[in-house]
PDB file of all heavy atoms in Angstrom:
ATOM      1  N   ASP A1025      -2.022 -13.507   2.180  1.00 95.00           N
ATOM      2  CA  ASP A1025      -2.337 -14.796   1.928  1.00 95.00           C
ATOM      3  C   ASP A1025      -1.515 -15.365   0.703  1.00 95.00           C
ATOM      4  O   ASP A1025      -0.954 -16.589   0.859  1.00 95.00           O
ATOM      5  CB  ASP A1025      -3.835 -14.906   1.432  1.00 95.00           C
ATOM      6  CG  ASP A1025      -4.749 -14.891   2.664  1.00 95.00           C
ATOM      7  OD1 ASP A1025      -4.234 -14.878   3.776  1.00 95.00           O
ATOM      8  OD2 ASP A1025      -5.984 -14.844   2.413  1.00 95.00           O
ATOM      9  N   HIS A1026      -1.317 -14.473  -0.284  1.00 96.00           N
ATOM     10  CA  HIS A1026      -0.440 -14.989  -1.424  1.00 96.00           C
ATOM     11  C   HIS A1026       0.994 -15.298  -0.944  1.00 96.00           C
ATOM     12  O   HIS A1026       1.623 -16.088  -1.459  1.00 96.00           O
ATOM     13  CB  HIS A1026      -0.541 -14.051  -2.533  1.00 96.00           C
ATOM     14  CG  HIS A1026      -1.820 -14.084  -3.361  1.00 96.00           C
ATOM     15  ND1 HIS A1026      -2.228 -15.163  -4.041  1.00 96.00           N
ATOM     16  CD2 HIS A1026      -2.898 -13.141  -3.500  1.00 96.00           C
ATOM     17  CE1 HIS A1026      -3.354 -14.918  -4.667  1.00 96.00           C
ATOM     18  NE2 HIS A1026      -3.792 -13.807  -4.339  1.00 96.00           N
ATOM     19  N   LEU A1027       1.471 -14.361  -0.160  1.00 96.00           N
ATOM     20  CA  LEU A1027       2.881 -14.525   0.319  1.00 96.00           C
ATOM     21  C   LEU A1027       3.083 -15.832   1.044  1.00 96.00           C
ATOM     22  O   LEU A1027       4.067 -16.456   1.043  1.00 96.00           O
ATOM     23  CB  LEU A1027       3.297 -13.289   1.039  1.00 96.00           C
ATOM     24  CG  LEU A1027       3.528 -11.999   0.268  1.00 96.00           C
ATOM     25  CD1 LEU A1027       3.798 -10.811   1.247  1.00 96.00           C
ATOM     26  CD2 LEU A1027       4.801 -12.179  -0.567  1.00 96.00           C
ATOM     27  N   THR A1028       2.085 -16.059   1.989  1.00 95.00           N
ATOM     28  CA  THR A1028       2.070 -17.348   2.709  1.00 95.00           C
ATOM     29  C   THR A1028       2.050 -18.579   1.838  1.00 95.00           C
ATOM     30  O   THR A1028       2.726 -19.547   1.955  1.00 95.00           O
ATOM     31  CB  THR A1028       1.029 -17.350   3.763  1.00 95.00           C
ATOM     32  OG1 THR A1028       1.217 -16.275   4.723  1.00 95.00           O
ATOM     33  CG2 THR A1028       1.115 -18.591   4.665  1.00 95.00           C
ATOM     34  N   ARG A1029       1.093 -18.519   0.848  1.00 94.00           N
ATOM     35  CA  ARG A1029       0.978 -19.585  -0.059  1.00 94.00           C
ATOM     36  C   ARG A1029       2.315 -19.910  -0.908  1.00 94.00           C
ATOM     37  O   ARG A1029       2.656 -20.969  -1.106  1.00 94.00           O
ATOM     38  CB  ARG A1029      -0.103 -19.353  -1.039  1.00 94.00           C
ATOM     39  CG  ARG A1029      -1.488 -19.566  -0.424  1.00 94.00           C
ATOM     40  CD  ARG A1029      -2.595 -19.571  -1.530  1.00 94.00           C
ATOM     41  NE  ARG A1029      -3.888 -19.769  -0.942  1.00 94.00           N
ATOM     42  CZ  ARG A1029      -4.744 -18.771  -0.817  1.00 94.00           C
ATOM     43  NH1 ARG A1029      -4.450 -17.483  -1.133  1.00 94.00           N
ATOM     44  NH2 ARG A1029      -5.880 -19.012  -0.261  1.00 94.00           N
ATOM     45  N   ARG A1030       2.870 -18.780  -1.377  1.00 94.00           N
ATOM     46  CA  ARG A1030       3.999 -18.882  -2.286  1.00 94.00           C
ATOM     47  C   ARG A1030       5.345 -19.161  -1.436  1.00 94.00           C
ATOM     48  O   ARG A1030       6.315 -19.768  -1.912  1.00 94.00           O
ATOM     49  CB  ARG A1030       4.167 -17.688  -3.107  1.00 94.00           C
ATOM     50  CG  ARG A1030       3.095 -17.541  -4.169  1.00 94.00           C
ATOM     51  CD  ARG A1030       3.039 -16.232  -4.811  1.00 94.00           C
ATOM     52  NE  ARG A1030       1.890 -16.045  -5.680  1.00 94.00           N
ATOM     53  CZ  ARG A1030       1.830 -16.413  -7.005  1.00 94.00           C
ATOM     54  NH1 ARG A1030       2.986 -16.767  -7.561  1.00 94.00           N
ATOM     55  NH2 ARG A1030       0.759 -16.188  -7.780  1.00 94.00           N
ATOM     56  N   LEU A1031       5.523 -18.444  -0.320  1.00 94.00           N
ATOM     57  CA  LEU A1031       6.834 -18.437   0.354  1.00 94.00           C
ATOM     58  C   LEU A1031       6.765 -19.104   1.802  1.00 94.00           C
ATOM     59  O   LEU A1031       7.832 -19.405   2.303  1.00 94.00           O
ATOM     60  CB  LEU A1031       7.292 -17.007   0.547  1.00 94.00           C
ATOM     61  CG  LEU A1031       7.556 -16.211  -0.787  1.00 94.00           C
ATOM     62  CD1 LEU A1031       7.936 -14.792  -0.459  1.00 94.00           C
ATOM     63  CD2 LEU A1031       8.629 -16.944  -1.592  1.00 94.00           C
ATOM     64  N   ARG A1145       2.674 -23.233   3.822  1.00 66.00           N
ATOM     65  CA  ARG A1145       2.099 -22.703   2.583  1.00 66.00           C
ATOM     66  C   ARG A1145       0.623 -22.984   2.504  1.00 66.00           C
ATOM     67  O   ARG A1145      -0.183 -22.261   1.825  1.00 66.00           O
ATOM     68  CB  ARG A1145       2.731 -23.183   1.344  1.00 66.00           C
ATOM     69  CG  ARG A1145       4.258 -22.612   1.131  1.00 66.00           C
ATOM     70  CD  ARG A1145       4.901 -23.229   0.036  1.00 66.00           C
ATOM     71  NE  ARG A1145       6.308 -22.703  -0.032  1.00 66.00           N
ATOM     72  CZ  ARG A1145       7.230 -23.053  -0.896  1.00 66.00           C
ATOM     73  NH1 ARG A1145       6.815 -24.003  -1.800  1.00 66.00           N
ATOM     74  NH2 ARG A1145       8.351 -22.569  -0.838  1.00 66.00           N
ATOM     75  N   VAL A1148      -3.013 -20.401   5.313  1.00 52.00           N
ATOM     76  CA  VAL A1148      -3.047 -18.916   5.084  1.00 52.00           C
ATOM     77  C   VAL A1148      -3.892 -18.343   6.165  1.00 52.00           C
ATOM     78  O   VAL A1148      -4.664 -18.975   6.935  1.00 52.00           O
ATOM     79  CB  VAL A1148      -3.582 -18.656   3.744  1.00 52.00           C
ATOM     80  CG1 VAL A1148      -2.711 -19.174   2.662  1.00 52.00           C
ATOM     81  CG2 VAL A1148      -4.984 -19.220   3.498  1.00 52.00           C
TER      82      VAL A1148
END
Side-chain angles (χ1 to χ4, degrees):
D1025 281 356
H1026 283 296
L1027 286 171
T1028 298
R1029 286 194 179 100
R1030 292 168 184 269
L1031 300 175
R1145 292 178 185 173
V1148 296

